[in-house]
Structure formats: structure tokens, C-alpha cells
């Protein structure tokens, strides 16, 4: 194979494209340094910063600096940028000559643990593998991933329709030119256990929306009609026509542990117990802590606050043995509270009294402490729409769903393309005021964001099965006059 020629430009530069070339086995960074004085001069100006090379048309991600030039497609064009302050550039080393090259794109699944060491965080990576290597071996040799990535329990999940999962023991050649999310077994595609099933459900819905500009345009038109012709990101809570007491039962869970701070939403469920997301509690305790040791860590790190219209903010602590129930699959956790020293003990009414079965379609509201997000439910398939008894999760469009998200290869860009992460754990109500679910986040579907969360019915059923006395305490007292049965 003769020398491979390619072009490059510096990201954000208005200048013309530069040309570089290298031998088939020569690394990209070496080819740039040897064949382009323009690149070498720019690198000297940015001494101490790390180089990123992005290829957006074919390889769709940040390239490994050690990639052999033979792996580049014909007419490849790279964007070069210098990032960070104090880190050098790394690339794979020790390339065996004469072996065929396979490339595939890898990104972190939304909401999951970090996978990258350095300044590439927030971008997709184009990984190359040599003939005979498995996916795990290619990731391990890449040099940009954290040491624990690629070990037992990790897997890749397709970003395209179907969202099939692949073990890292698979031959890398099977993934040629594909795009995947990398995460840990058990946490599931996209950071939650059932996103593959939700994506398939969304596929079926969109297939039936063809015509008039395409399925997304048809869904947007329906969304605007249901919202009265306007699609603000958020609307004041009173527009949702919910009782004030419901809004005031929504609180903020904050934590500070080992130098890390964060927050999520929560709400008073009943009798001094709040409901929030499992992934928020996991973020609180940190990676590597067994679930059996979460209780003391949560008690030490967490506080909960509610702001009422008539009183000052009230701080609550998690009680001793306060982590009462949780499920990674449903992404929920129930915490028992106790009043902090010197604080009052008043809590607004628990929302479990308004619990009801899932809504099949239409508008629901994810209610935070100050605003409500109007969401349009993605209806179940025709064969299932009449029976909601087994519905464990809901998914819905918001106004965010109809604007395309930034493509990762144009990075670096902020990784929080979803709603404010502190909104996870917000209650979700039907138009008539029934508590039907809990907001758990969103996932990216073909550059769109779709909201999702567990139904309150599924949470109650899990508590009933695994923690029956707790179920009786929180849900078993019978509905209030305004409420209705959840099961």
C-alpha cells in the first residue's frame, strides 16, 4: 500500500484545509508531525495540551493518535484541536505491521459510570482493532479508557434500532463501522436496565407515524396540538391544575461525600418516607461500594429539604437504617427521614394517597419544586394499549425531543444534554392529579431525547413483593377520598 493522504483543519479555524500524508503503518500523529510544518508549529504553541483528532463523516469520533494511516478511509478529513492543561497526548503503541484494521465508535451510555481517562470525556471515540483482536482487547490496548473498562461485566449496546448487546469477547471485526454505547452489565443500555425495550417500543410507535414530513414531524404536530399550540420547555406548576399540597411535597435530596457533591429530586411518599432514584443514591455512595454498605453512607452524606410557601426551608436527615427499599431495574429508592436537630417535624401530605395506575396516552406532568414539565406519553403498541396492568415504565416526548442534539463528533460539548440531572426523582402526575410515575431521566434516540421513568404501580408492586410491611405502611392504608388504588 502506498502512502495515505488526508486533509485536516484546526477546529474553529476559518483557514483552508491542510494536507498531510503517511505510510500505511505510520501513526496519525507521526504523519502529521512529519509531513506538516503547520501542524508542528500549532502543536508547539499548545505545548502541554493534549491533541484530539476528530473525523466526522466516516469514523464519527475522536481518533486514536496511534491509529495507522491505513485505517483511514479515502478522502478522510480531520479536525484537530488542543484541549486540557497539563496532559500530553496518548496513542496506542506497538502496532504489528501487515494486519488488517477494523474501526468502530464507542461512547459512554448516558447516566453511567465514566469510561475515559482524559480530555476526550464527552466525545465518542473511534477505536481501531487489529486482525484477530477481540473488542475487549482493542479497548484495553487503546490507552484512553479507564483501567477497569473491558473487564468482566462490560458490554457494548447498539445505538441504532434494535439496540442489541454484545459481549467484549466478540471478535472486533464483527463491529466494523458500527456505533455503540459502552457500559456495565446489569445497568443496561443507556444507563438503565430496560432502555433496549423502550427503544423497541418507540420504534413501533414511530413506524405508524409516517407521512406529512416523517414520523418525528407527525409526533411533534400531535405534541403541539395537545399542548394547545405552544411548546414551552416548562410551564408553571399551577397550569398542571394540581393541588398545591402536591407541589409542596416535592423536595431536593442533596449529598456531600468524599469531596463529591450532588442533588436529585425526591418527594414525600407517606409517613416520613421519600421516593427518589436508585441511580441518585448510587452516585451518592460512589463506585465500588457494595449495596450492603450503602445505608451508613447514605445516612452520613444525605439531607432532604422542602420549601413551603408559608415556612422557611426545612432540613431533614436520613434516619438510622433509613434506606428501606430499592431496585436498580426500576431505578427507585425509598428513604426514611428524621428531623435534623432543632428543626420542626412537619411534612406535607404524602403523595402515595394519590397513587393510581398508569396512563396509556396523552399528557402527564413531571412536577419539580417550582415548575412542571409537560410530557406527551408514547403509547404502547396496539395489542397492549388496552391493558396497562403490566406496564413497568413509561416514556414520553417533551419539547426537547423535537430539537436535534449536538453530534458527538463535533465535540467537546457538554455531556448533560438531558434535563437538569437534579430533576431525576420528580413525581409524574396525570392531568387529573393522579400520581402515575417518577421521572428517572432521558435517553438519546437518533439524536433526540426521550424522557422515561418507572410507573408508581411497578414500584408499589416491587415493594409489596419484597418488603410487605413497608408496603402496608406506605400504600396499604387504602386510598384517600381524592385518591385511587395503585394495584
Amino acid at each position: 500500500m502506498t502512502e495515505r493522504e488526508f486533509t485536516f483543519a484546526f477546529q474553529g479555524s476559518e483557514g483552508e484545509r491542510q494536507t498531510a500524508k503517511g505510510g500505511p503503518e505510520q501513526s496519525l500523529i507521526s504523519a502529521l508531525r512529519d509531513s506538516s510544518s503547520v501542524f508542528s508549529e500549532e502543536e508547539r504553541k499548545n505545548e502541554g495540551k493534549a491533541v484530539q483528532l476528530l473525523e466526522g463523516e466516516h469514523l464519527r469520533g475522536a481518533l486514536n493518535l496511534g491509529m495507522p494511516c491505513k485505517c483511514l478511509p479515502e478522502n478522510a478529513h480531520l479536525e484537530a484541536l488542543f484541549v486540557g492543561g497539563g496532559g500530553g497526548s496518548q496513542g496506542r503503541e506497538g502496532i504489528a505491521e501487515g494486519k488488517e484494521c477494523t474501526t468502530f465508535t464507542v461512547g459512554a451510555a448516558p447516566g453511567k459510570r465514566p469510561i475515559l481517562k482524559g480530555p476526550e470525556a464527552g466525545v465518542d471515540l473511534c477505536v481501531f482493532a487489529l486482525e484477530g483482536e477481540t473488542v475487549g482487547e482493542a479497548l484495553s490496548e487503546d490507552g484512553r479508557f479507564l483501567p477497569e473498562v473491558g473487564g468482566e461485566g462490560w458490554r457494548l449496546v447498539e445505538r441504532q434500532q434494535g439496540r442489541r448487546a454484545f459481549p467484549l469477547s466478540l471478535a472486533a471485526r464483527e463491529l466494523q463501522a458500527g456505533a455503540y454505547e459502552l457500559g456495565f452489565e446489569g445497568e443496561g443500555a443507556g444507563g438503565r436496565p430496560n432502555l433496549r425495550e423502550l427503544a423497541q417500543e418507540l420504534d413501533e410507535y414511530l413506524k405508524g407515524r409516517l407521512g406529512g414530513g416523517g414520523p418525528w414531524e407527525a409526533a411533534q404536530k400531535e405534541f403541539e396540538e395537545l399542548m394547545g399550540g405552544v411548546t414551552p420547555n416548562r410551564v408553571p406548576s399551577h397550569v398542571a391544575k394540581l393541588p398545591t399540597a402536591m407541589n409542596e411535597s416535592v423536595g431536593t435530596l442533596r449529598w456531600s461525600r468524599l469531596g463529591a457533591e450532588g442533588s436529585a429530586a425526591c418527594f414525600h411518599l407517606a409517613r416520613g418516607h421519600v421516593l427518589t432514584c436508585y441511580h441518585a443514591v448510587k452516585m451518592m455512595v460512589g463506585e465500588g461500594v457494595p449495596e450492603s454498605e450503602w445505608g451508613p453512607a447514605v445516612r452520613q452524606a444525605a439531607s432532604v429539604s422542602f420549601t413551603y410557601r408559608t415556612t422557611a426551608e426545612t432540613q431533614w436527615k436520613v434516619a438510622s437504617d433509613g434506606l428501606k427499599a430499592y431496585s436498580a431495574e426500576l431505578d427507585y429508592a425509598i428513604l426514611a427521614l428524621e428531623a435534623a436537630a432543632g428543626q420542626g417535624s412537619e411534612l406535607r401530605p404524602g403523595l402515595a394517597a394519590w397513587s393510581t395506575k398508569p396512563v396509556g396516552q396523552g399528557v402527564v406532568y413531571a412536577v419539580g419544586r417550582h415548575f412542571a414539565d409537560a410530557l406527551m406519553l408514547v403509547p404502547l403498541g396496539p395489542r397492549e394499549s388496552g391493558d396497562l396492568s403490566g406496564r413497568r415504565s413509561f416514556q414520553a416526548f417533551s419539547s426537547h425531543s423535537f430539537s436535534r442534539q449536538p453530534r458527538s463528533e463535533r465535540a467537546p460539548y457538554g455531556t448533560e444534554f438531558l434535563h437538569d440531572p437534579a430533576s431525576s426523582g420528580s413525581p409524574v402526575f396525570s392531568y387529573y392529579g393522579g400520581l402515575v410515575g417518577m421521572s428517572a431521566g432521558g435517553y438519546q434516540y437518533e439524536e433526540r431525547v426521550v424522557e422515561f421513568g418507572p410507573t408508581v404501580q411497578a414500584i408499589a408492586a416491587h415493594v409489596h413483593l419484597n418488603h410487605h410491611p413497608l408496603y402496608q405502611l406506605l400504600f396499604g392504608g387504602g386510598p384517600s377520598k381524592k385518591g385511587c388504588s395503585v394495584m
Side-chain angles (χ1 to χ4, degrees):
M1 181 185 294
T2 59
E3 286 186 319
R4 177 59 55 88
E5 187 173 279
F6 58 95
T7 60
F8 73 94
F10 299 108
Q11 192 176 66
S13 171
E14 299 298 329
E16 62 182 18
R17 295 186 176 191
Q18 306 292 326
T19 300
K21 60 183 178 181
E25 309 295 341
Q26 188 175 9
S27 69
L28 294 178
I29 190 65
S30 174
L32 285 166
R33 289 167 176 167
D34 290 350
S35 67
S36 173
S37 59
V38 175
F39 180 86
S40 297
E41 177 62 24
E42 192 70 19
E43 190 174 30
R44 280 194 293 272
K45 292 178 182 178
N46 290 276
E47 183 177 1
K49 292 186 177 182
V51 180
Q52 276 190 13
L53 300 176
L54 309 177
E55 205 286 327
E57 184 175 353
H58 306 284
L59 302 180
R60 307 187 307 280
L63 309 183
N64 191 296
L65 302 185
M67 175 187 284
C69 291
K70 67 181 180 182
C71 298
L72 286 177
E74 294 288 345
N75 302 315
H77 174 68
L78 312 185
E79 289 184 82
L81 62 156
F82 298 89
V83 295
S89 301
Q90 295 182 339
R92 179 172 173 175
E93 299 177 352
I95 304 302
E97 295 187 8
K99 291 192 174 183
E100 293 183 3
C101 182
T102 294
T103 62
F104 55 94
T105 302
V106 174
K112 281 194 180 178
R113 62 186 73 183
I115 62 173
L116 305 177
K117 291 179 181 177
E120 286 92 357
V123 301
D124 285 351
L125 301 191
C126 175
V127 176
F128 74 93
L130 297 177
E131 184 181 348
E133 287 184 335
T134 66
V135 175
E137 289 169 342
L139 295 176
S140 178
E141 292 288 342
D142 184 273
R144 295 174 291 176
F145 294 91
L146 291 170
E148 61 268 27
V149 172
E152 184 178 355
W154 290 83
R155 65 177 184 175
L156 292 178
V157 178
E158 281 183 319
R159 281 186 170 165
Q160 303 304 315
Q161 295 183 6
R163 298 188 67 82
R164 292 176 297 169
F166 299 97
L168 301 193
S169 58
L170 184 72
R173 67 176 182 275
E174 300 294 332
L175 303 185
Q176 175 65 31
Y180 305 89
E181 292 172 354
L182 176 63
F184 198 73
E185 187 80 36
E187 293 179 338
R192 305 294 190 275
N194 62 341
L195 287 198
R196 189 167 33 167
E197 289 78 10
L198 293 181
Q200 291 172 345
E201 180 181 289
L202 184 56
D203 287 343
E204 292 301 316
Y205 169 75
L206 291 175
K207 286 177 183 177
R209 307 293 298 166
L210 294 176
W216 284 98
E217 288 74 13
Q220 182 175 5
K221 182 179 179 181
E222 182 180 351
F223 180 85
E224 292 174 348
E225 290 174 350
L226 286 172
M227 302 303 168
V230 294
T231 56
N233 287 349
R234 294 186 174 187
V235 294
S237 295
H238 72 270
V239 173
K241 300 182 179 180
L242 302 176
T244 299
M246 289 184 174
N247 305 138
E248 294 177 346
S249 296
V250 181
T252 299
L253 171 68
R254 295 186 177 91
W255 61 85
S256 178
R257 174 174 160 78
L258 302 177
E261 297 182 348
S263 65
C266 65
F267 58 93
H268 183 211
L269 195 58
R271 300 180 183 273
H273 293 70
V274 293
L275 183 64
T276 191
C277 288
Y278 172 93
H279 77 259
V281 177
K282 186 169 184 176
M283 290 169 61
M284 183 191 310
V285 300
E287 294 295 337
V289 180
E291 289 182 345
S292 60
E293 300 177 12
W294 281 16
V298 171
R299 174 170 170 76
Q300 182 182 31
S303 65
V304 175
S305 61
F306 300 87
T307 301
Y308 307 142
R309 293 187 304 165
T310 56
T311 65
E313 187 169 51
T314 305
Q315 294 286 341
W316 295 75
K317 298 294 292 180
V318 176
S320 178
D321 191 29
L323 182 57
K324 295 297 186 181
Y326 54 84
S327 167
E329 183 181 6
L330 290 175
D331 199 4
Y332 86 88
I334 295 175
L335 306 176
L337 303 182
E338 63 182 23
Q343 299 284 347
S345 58
E346 180 186 12
L347 276 172
R348 285 300 189 264
L351 300 185
W354 282 273
S355 299
T356 187
K357 295 178 181 179
V359 181
Q361 57 186 351
V363 179
V364 294
Y365 297 90
V367 178
R369 294 175 63 179
H370 305 293
F371 293 92
D373 285 341
L375 309 174
M376 183 181 80
L377 291 172
V378 176
L380 296 174
R383 290 177 297 177
E384 303 173 283
S385 58
D387 180 12
L388 302 176
S389 60
R391 189 168 191 174
R392 295 166 61 82
S393 300
F394 68 88
Q395 58 181 329
F397 301 118
S398 70
S399 58
H400 299 277
S401 303
F402 303 108
S403 59
R404 288 183 178 272
Q405 303 303 311
R407 289 183 62 84
S408 55
E409 63 266 19
R410 307 299 299 181
Y413 71 96
T415 57
E416 288 299 344
F417 57 83
L418 309 177
H419 281 178
D420 181 346
S423 66
S424 293
S426 299
V428 176
F429 295 97
S430 69
Y431 183 84
Y432 299 101
L435 176 68
V436 293
M438 178 180 67
S439 175
Y443 68 96
Q444 196 165 4
Y445 178 98
E446 297 181 354
E447 301 174 39
R448 314 279 187 160
V449 172
V450 182
E451 313 281 340
F452 71 95
T455 65
V456 70
Q457 175 181 252
I459 293 172
H462 187 271
V463 176
H464 183 273
L465 180 63
N466 297 281
H467 310 277
H468 190 69
L470 181 64
Y471 173 85
Q472 289 296 116
L473 180 69
L474 302 180
F475 297 99
S480 69
K481 294 179 180 179
K482 297 181 181 179
C484 47
S485 175
V486 70
M487 295 181 68

